[in-house]
Amino acid sequence: MSAHPTAQAQNAPIPLQVVTVIATLPIPGVNQPLPEIASAVQTATAAQIDAAQVLDLSDFMNQRLGGVHVNNTQGNPFQMDVSYRGFTASPLLGTPQGLSVYMDGMRMNQPFGDVVSWDLMPRSAISSITLMPGSNPLFGLNTLGGAISMQTKSGLTHAGTSVTGTVGQYGRRSAEFEHGGRNMQGLHWFVTANTYDEAGWRDASPSQVRQLFGKLGYKSGSTDIALSISLADNTLTGNGLQEFRMLASDRRSIYTRPDETNNRATQINLTAKHALSDELIFSGNAYARSLHTRSVNGDVNDGALDQAVYQLSAADRTALNNAGYTGFPTSISGANASNTPFPMWRCIAQALQNDEPGEKCTGLINRTSTAQSNHGVSGQWTWLAPLAGQRNQLTAGLAYDSNRTRFEQSSELGYLNPDRSVTGIKAYADGVTGGSIDGTPYDNRVDLRGQATTHSLFMTDTLSLADRFHLTLSARYNRTHIRNSDQITPGGGPGSLDGNHVFSRLNPALGLAFALTPEVSAYAGYNEGSRTPTATELGCADPATPCKLPNAMAGDPPLRQVVTKTWEAGWRAKTSPSTQWTAGVFRAESTDDILFVASDMQNGFGYFRNFGKTLRQGLELGVQSRQNAWTLGGHYTWLQATYQTPETLGGSANSSNDAIAPGLDGHITVRPGDAIPLIPRHILKLNADVQLNPAWRVGASLVATSGMYARGNENNQHQSDGVNYLGSGRTAGYAVVNLNARYQPTPNTTWTLNIANLFNTAYATAAQMGPTAFSANGQQFVTRPYAAVGGEYPLQNSMFMAPGAPRTLWLSLRQRFN
């Protein structure tokens, strides 16, 4: 499946490979001489990724890998939540992470929150990608539902030079450069750089991506050493969810702005492999990473939705006059909802008095800064000697990872403008300039320093019996020590983020594969994986001091680590040399899942806690075939993801909550069997490519999913009443068709035309319930929409959706130089 970029360009793409494996370790290893067994793994090469003409790796997995779907909650193509079997790898802080991601053995899950930033992994640098299902312990922490292992290109496999330019709709412009080579002395090198700019298809949504990857290596005989460096400096706008009524009138519209994230990263990785003999091989890697992330988000201040934000008091007018302001209403009844669609004066006046701007200001500007550094080393020995006269492969190794993090967060009060931007007024939620709320100083600052170390030991042994049966036993022991230090409230106690936590566990795995005939084989396996609570979760785990993510954190009683136990079985068959079928079933039960649950103390607040049990189980079917000029593929997944433990969650936007009156604060009860939100029951993927002649190739793909319950509808009981609760609480199913055509007039020149979402389907990849701050047409900020009930003002709640991109065209030209 490995491919030279020039050699593969003239042919139809090779079908994705589906094999069975048990112990493909994330560090670069040796060519395994034994059949790798125990679960259906999907692999793809650079040639296949290139043929799909995708924007990045998350887009490729969504289009071509079975069981994968994406939630574009952030609203940016480089910030997808990638889910597989109901477990997620997301760039969004606070999202429960259930997939581990590696690049050349370097762990890509970041220290703070285990998040995965897909924009830091340049597509043009990837030689192959492997999706490993199940909670395989050999991949370390966070491997609850699967692991993604990527290998990068080198001059040994990708020699030559190419330049690619792309232009497209919505201001898309990109340029990409690749060069690889080697010499007779054993040196090899590879470098790729790319720049990407677009205005975005939604309002005020530009993005800029800058990536550089280089590798220098030496290979001689049984020794292979390589040093790689990866740099990124990206500015991404992710305008997030939009209220469904406003999407219906304008799918380009946004809820609030700005929503900008800047990622800067430097990653260095040293890999080595050496065969001491025909039976003993060592391989390993050492890495270091530095990441700096800054975000600026303009948001609605939900605390103002039940407040009087229009009419100025006498004290307000006096404060404004003394400060030199003019143009504000001076009469007692001067400002109201009808003549002031976007109020601002009371916000400014309350800040001048240092009174209650936290309740009277309609907007917030939330800023975060995260600085992370981590380094690690891992190594493994592989022994290939027979055992009791049977072929045997034993691998054992150890790993060490250490990281330091500093996370800072602040909120500036402001007011919303008609263009949905937020104007700050230099009053902050710092306990001083932001006044108070109900007599308590308004303060949601965070300044947290964290340090964590993980020591691991692992081993796996595969014994082949009569060349038909292959038994694998594996285990990994992890010990993680996490220390949090609060720079605002040090010393522990109420409100402090200080903490010292130790987590350890031995996770086992067992796999059996057997060949029924030369064309048909079967497998069965059991494995366990775990993840430790993140600093984010430990920093918001105290029921007595709840927080409102992502705006604040609070004290940290201990949480237990999540443990997932996975059973799976399946078979694969070849009905011809070019056609392969696969079928499998799986059952993954997670204990002590960590969820954000509602607080009984404060509306809209909550805390992380262990949940009990959740279940993800399903059926997977796949087929890959190459017939003359045609390359065909298909995947179907039936996935049932449910809660297995009763729980009370925040449900103020859910019509079935227990509030004393519609629109007031309430909770919902989740029961065993309720479906977990944002996980579709059905996923279907089809793709076809045809080589029309030596110069022309045309390909198409279809991605279809069933509807999903929205976040906030965890009990699956929400129904719209048309007044206090709007929206169905569920997305509709969708099917999206993508088309591409490639024209290669010469072996070194390639033109490619891509049309994403060919039929311009209007669809949503995610949804969430919440209070809405605007009128149906979005032209007015709305507070106190209904009369008070028992002294409290009911709110209007609605469903917010993540719209999928419309039809988008782009044209690329690649020129290769031999």
Side-chain angles (χ1 to χ4, degrees), residues 167-447:
V167 296
Q169 286 183 284
Y170 310 113
R172 180 173 295 185
R173 302 289 187 274
S174 70
E176 182 179 289
F177 168 79
E178 286 187 44
H179 172 72
R182 59 183 175 181
N183 62 22
M184 299 300 294
Q185 288 72 44
L187 288 177
H188 57 89
W189 57 88
F190 178 83
V191 62
T192 180
N194 66 77
T195 175
Y196 175 94
D197 295 89
E198 72 167 21
W201 68 273
R202 297 180 70 184
D203 293 339
S205 56
S207 289
Q208 182 182 84
V209 175
R210 304 288 185 266
Q211 299 169 327
L212 173 67
F213 174 84
K215 179 186 287 187
L216 178 64
Y218 172 78
K219 180 176 175 59
S220 177
S222 61
T223 301
D224 191 355
I225 301 174
L227 176 67
S228 64
I229 182 170
S230 180
L231 305 174
D233 187 354
N234 306 327
T235 300
L236 309 176
T237 300
N239 285 311
L241 308 178
Q242 172 63 301
E243 208 253 313
F244 80 98
R245 296 176 301 171
M246 286 175 271
L247 276 182
S249 60
D250 184 1
R251 289 190 64 80
R252 299 172 302 171
S253 65
I254 60 175
Y255 195 63
T256 58
R257 66 182 179 96
D259 291 285
E260 185 177 287
T261 299
N262 177 254
N263 287 325
R264 297 180 62 188
T266 301
Q267 305 172 147
I268 301 174
N269 191 24
L270 175 66
T271 63
K273 180 176 67 177
H274 179 68
L276 285 78
S277 68
D278 291 340
E279 296 182 343
L280 187 61
I281 303 168
F282 170 81
S283 58
N285 76 319
Y287 72 91
R289 304 174 71 200
S290 175
L291 302 95
H292 293 82
T293 300
R294 295 182 181 274
S295 68
V296 180
N297 297 287
D299 299 312
V300 169
N301 179 15
D302 289 345
L305 296 181
D306 62 352
Q307 297 293 310
V309 300
Y310 301 99
Q311 184 60 47
L312 297 174
S313 67
D316 291 335
R317 292 193 294 273
T318 299
L320 290 169
N321 187 65
N322 291 342
Y325 285 94
T326 61
F328 56 87
T330 56
S331 64
I332 295 178
S333 59
N336 54 60
S338 62
N339 62 23
T340 311
F342 289 88
M344 59 180 252
W345 290 114
R346 189 138 208 238
C347 168
I348 298 172
Q350 288 285 297
L352 291 171
Q353 300 170 79
N354 198 25
D355 189 6
E356 292 183 337
E359 293 183 333
K360 305 305 187 291
C361 290
T362 58
L364 287 171
I365 301 176
N366 294 305
R367 298 180 174 91
T368 68
S369 174
T370 309
Q372 304 176 76
S373 62
N374 61 310
H375 62 274
V377 60
S378 60
Q380 66 181 38
W381 294 89
T382 300
W383 187 39
L384 304 177
L387 177 64
Q390 303 293 327
R391 288 196 302 162
N392 189 72
Q393 176 180 297
L394 172 65
T395 298
L398 52 83
Y400 169 80
D401 296 275
S402 178
N403 64 74
R404 293 179 180 272
T405 302
R406 180 158 189 174
F407 177 78
E408 298 172 280
Q409 185 169 261
S410 65
S411 297
E412 180 182 3
L413 292 160
Y415 53 86
L416 283 159
N417 300 301
D419 65 356
R420 303 301 175 83
S421 64
V422 178
T423 299
I425 60 170
K426 306 301 182 184
Y428 300 87
D430 57 6
V432 180
T433 62
S436 62
I437 295 180
D438 297 330
T440 301
Y442 182 42
D443 188 359
N444 62 15
R445 294 170 299 158
V446 176
D447 189 349

Side-chain angles (χ1 to χ4, degrees), residues 58 75 105 255 323 332 484 489 596 609 643 707 719 760 779 801:
S58 62
Y255 195 63
I332 295 178
N484 285 344
T489 312
F596 190 68
R609 60 161 293 178
Y643 299 105
Q719 293 186 358
N760 204 28
Q779 300 303 309
M801 305 175 72

Side-chain angles (χ1 to χ4, degrees), residues 687-706:
N687 60 81
D689 297 271
V690 58
Q691 193 78 38
L692 300 175
N693 56 47
W696 281 95
R697 181 187 65 79
V698 177
S701 66
L702 177 143
V703 178
T705 76
S706 58

